């Protein structure tokens, strides 16, 4: 039997499996899962019907590498209407979720050894994609209230190639102020640092306002997806939008690893972006209720932490013994160190779970 010791790419060997998936897959059958960012709400009916119609109408073949022209038109209209961003369809690539868009963007932009900055705590894929692209990942520390410090960011940005900005943030739920986003974009654009703005939670903002980074500079790649906004995680449909010169190179990466996003999902996404968005407002309102329910419950248990502004996560400081006790009580949460070098001593809770699950989880936590 062949042995592959020493024959696997070192870049791949240097990437750890996601700590989120490890805990999700190891959960006991009776555990309450507050770990994974998986909405429990169904994909809205008009979107599902569009996907079914695509199958019935035999729209099941390859599309253009860039994606359906009408979908890219709809994305451009969405960006102009909701985000104040101007793009043409030729500056958009439809991808297999935001995950592929992130990989394509970093692979396209980063040369060997170049530095890529991202929030620490931050989403797990930023570091992994950087390593796979041959870059040098570098976390940017957050303030005690889990926000970016603009002056500290500027110091680290000198000499960097990319700054991945995530607002609303995962795992923190932080929505950065307009002044912070503007300052980071303007400084980056002045110093040759491309901003990759991950905005997948843009519609789940409760007490603040979401501002898109590309409103404040041209050297910005906007990444988004239908996954969270329309509860379409399994449809795997996202996009990247940015300067035409970057997109013309990025399409080479996309077409050689994906060819095109799934045609059926593209037609479903077209219905999402052009249809009635009352479903999104209803989901946001439901997540607000769940946020308040979980925050109040954890506060009553003695946990002290900032109330998140957006997304559907809470990043809660706790001792390792407390974390283990919660796991042993049958509540799945994710250890903070899955999200960066500066994240030990925290745990991430997801309130994408149902109200009943949140209530039951809190009852279990109260017993520890």
């Amino acid at each position: 039997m062949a042995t592959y010791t020493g024959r696997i790419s070192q870049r791949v060997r240097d990437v750890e499996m996601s700590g989120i998936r490890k805990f999700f897959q190891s959960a006991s059958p009776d555990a309450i899962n507050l770990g994974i960012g998986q909405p429990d709400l169904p994909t809205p009916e008009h979107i599902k019907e569009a996907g079914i119609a695509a199958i019935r109408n035999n729209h099941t073949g390859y599309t253009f590498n860039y994606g359906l022209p009408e979908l890219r038109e709809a994305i451009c209209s969405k960006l102009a209407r909701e985000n104040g961003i101007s793009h043409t369809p030729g500056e958009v690539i439809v991808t297999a979720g935001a995950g592929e868009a992130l990989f394509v963007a970093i692979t396209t932009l980063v040369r060997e050894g170049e530095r890529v900055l991202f929030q620490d705590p931050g989403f797990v894929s930023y570091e992994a994609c950087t390593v796979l692209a041959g870059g040098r990942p570098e976390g940017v520390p957050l303030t005690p209230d889990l926000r970016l410090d603009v002056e500290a960011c500027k110091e680290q940005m000198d000499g960097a190639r990319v700054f991945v900005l995530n607002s609303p943030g995962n795992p923190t739920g932080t929505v950065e102020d307009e002044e912070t986003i503007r300052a980071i974009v303007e400084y980056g654009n002045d110093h040759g640092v491309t901003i990759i703005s991950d905005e997948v939670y843009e519609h789940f903002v409760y007490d603040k306002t979401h501002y898109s980074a590309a409103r404040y500079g041209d050297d910005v790649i906007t990444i988004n997806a239908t996954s969270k906004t329309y509860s379409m995680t399994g449809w795997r449909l996202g996009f990247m939008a940015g300067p035409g010169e970057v997109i013309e190179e990025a399409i080479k990466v996309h077409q050689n690893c994906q060819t095109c996003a799934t045609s059926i999902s593209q037609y479903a996404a077209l219905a999402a972006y052009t249809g009635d968005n009352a479903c999104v407002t209803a989901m946001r309102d439901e997540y607000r209720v769940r946020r308040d329910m979980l925050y109040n419950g954890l506060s009553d248990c003695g946990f002290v932490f900032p109330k998140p502004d957006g997304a559907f996560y809470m990043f809660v400081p706790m001792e390792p013994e407390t974390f283990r006790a919660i796991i042993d009580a049958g509540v799945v949460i994710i250890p903070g160190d899955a999200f960066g070098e500066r994240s030990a001593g925290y745990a991430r809770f997801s309130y994408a779970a149902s109200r009943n699950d949140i209530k039951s989880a809190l009852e279990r936590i109260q017993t520890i």
Side-chain angles (χ1 to χ4, degrees), residues 63-365:
T63 70
F64 293 115
N65 295 136
Y66 284 91
L68 292 171
E70 57 267 46
L71 175 55
R72 287 182 282 127
E73 288 275 8
I75 290 170
C76 290
S77 296
K78 169 261 187 294
L79 290 172
R81 181 178 66 253
E82 297 181 353
N83 305 93
I85 301 172
S86 177
H87 280 295
T88 66
E91 296 171 333
V92 174
I93 300 175
V94 180
T95 60
E100 192 219 339
L102 178 69
F103 177 82
V104 169
I106 291 178
T107 300
T108 300
L109 292 168
V110 178
R111 292 171 294 188
E112 191 75 30
E114 290 187 316
R115 294 163 57 230
V116 175
L117 310 182
F118 46 83
Q119 287 130 299
D120 183 359
F123 182 51
V124 296
S125 290
Y126 304 147
E127 179 176 2
C129 286
T130 300
V131 172
L132 291 171
R136 291 166 48 203
E138 189 175 306
V140 176
L142 304 182
T143 62
D145 62 348
L146 303 176
R147 299 184 181 280
L148 287 166
D149 180 299
V150 170
E151 295 308 313
C153 288
K154 289 179 180 179
E155 289 184 16
Q156 274 189 262
M157 288 170 76
D158 289 341
R161 177 65 191 92
V162 165
F163 189 112
V164 183
L165 177 61
N166 180 211
S167 177
N170 176 8
T172 64
T174 299
V175 177
E176 296 291 350
D177 295 332
E178 181 181 18
E179 295 77 12
T180 296
I181 293 173
R182 181 196 296 271
I184 288 172
V185 172
E186 290 180 348
Y187 190 87
N189 280 199
D190 287 343
H191 292 79
V193 182
T194 300
I195 308 299
I196 296 177
S197 186
D198 179 350
E199 303 183 12
V200 297
Y201 298 99
E202 64 167 336
H203 283 288
F204 302 138
V205 176
Y206 312 109
D207 305 312
K208 300 185 72 173
T209 301
H210 168 73
Y211 294 95
S212 290
R215 293 177 62 176
Y216 310 109
D218 296 327
D219 192 8
V220 178
I221 306 295
T222 301
I223 288 176
N224 213 322
T226 60
S227 300
K228 304 303 196 294
T229 302
Y230 298 100
S231 197
M232 292 175 65
T233 53
W235 296 77
R236 306 314 305 135
L237 198 289
F239 68 84
M240 60 182 292
E245 186 177 354
V246 176
I247 296 300
E248 287 175 6
E249 299 300 322
I251 194 65
K252 300 175 187 176
V253 183
H254 170 67
Q255 71 180 8
N256 281 293
C257 71
Q258 186 65 22
T259 303
C260 63
T262 303
S263 60
I264 300 157
S265 296
Q266 290 191 58
Y267 283 101
L270 179 61
Y273 285 126
T274 59
D276 184 357
N277 268 17
C279 56
V280 179
T281 301
M283 283 190 270
R284 183 199 62 207
D285 292 345
E286 174 63 21
Y287 289 137
R288 184 198 299 271
V289 172
R290 297 179 187 188
R291 178 199 64 163
D292 293 345
M293 184 180 177
L294 182 58
Y295 180 80
N296 292 336
L298 291 175
S299 296
D300 289 344
C301 291
F303 295 101
V304 179
F305 60 101
K307 191 174 188 177
D309 309 308
F312 38 62
Y313 305 110
M314 292 182 183
F315 208 52
V316 183
M318 65 178 60
E319 298 296 326
E321 296 78 10
T322 305
F323 175 85
R324 177 46 56 189
I326 292 174
I327 295 294
D328 290 344
V331 179
V332 178
I333 54 178
I334 307 301
D337 57 13
F339 300 99
E341 296 178 356
R342 299 174 177 88
S343 306
Y346 283 83
R348 191 191 76 173
F349 291 72
S350 168
Y351 50 93
S354 70
R355 296 190 198 187
N356 285 337
D357 278 353
I358 292 171
K359 180 176 181 291
S360 297
L362 287 169
E363 289 172 351
R364 295 186 184 190
I365 293 170

